[in-house]
Amino acid sequence: MRVRRTVLSTLAAVALVLTSLGAVTAATAGPAAADPCGFYETGSDAYYNHCTSDGSRVVIKVGVALAPDYERCVAPGRTWLGSAGRIQSAHYAGRTC
């Protein structure tokens, strides 16, 4: 009986520590998850988020449904590319602008 209480106490302590760590991770990961780096879509819009701390502008290649792909120069931060139904992808083209 004593061994069982010790095991349960240990499991409870581990669960408490893991829960605490999970709460800290969730609190710090929230804002970053809202605007991930690179191409992403919401329910209706497509975006490219250029994550940088040096202020550089980069060229991205944008893939478009039923139209020619194109290149675009984007500044740091989030850039709206168009509707999610029209824009298929976007990626860094390997150069600055």
Side-chain angles (χ1 to χ4, degrees):
M1 189 71 153
R2 181 169 170 82
V3 172
R4 184 174 179 192
R5 272 191 227 149
T6 303
V7 170
L8 291 177
S9 295
T10 303
L11 288 175
V14 169
L16 182 60
V17 168
L18 291 176
T19 301
S20 298
L21 291 174
V24 169
T25 301
T28 57
D35 290 335
C37 296
F39 175 74
Y40 69 96
E41 296 177 339
T42 63
S44 59
D45 296 300
Y47 296 92
Y48 188 87
N49 190 19
H50 174 42
C51 299
T52 185
S53 60
D54 66 5
S56 63
R57 297 171 63 96
V58 297
V59 176
I60 61 170
K61 183 163 184 158
V62 181
V64 184
L66 304 173
D69 295 348
Y70 64 91
E71 290 186 345
R72 179 173 180 178
C73 180
V74 296
R78 182 174 72 167
T79 300
W80 182 75
L81 300 176
S83 71
R86 183 170 181 266
I87 305 299
Q88 296 178 324
S89 65
H91 64 273
Y92 174 57
R95 62 187 190 279
T96 58
C97 51

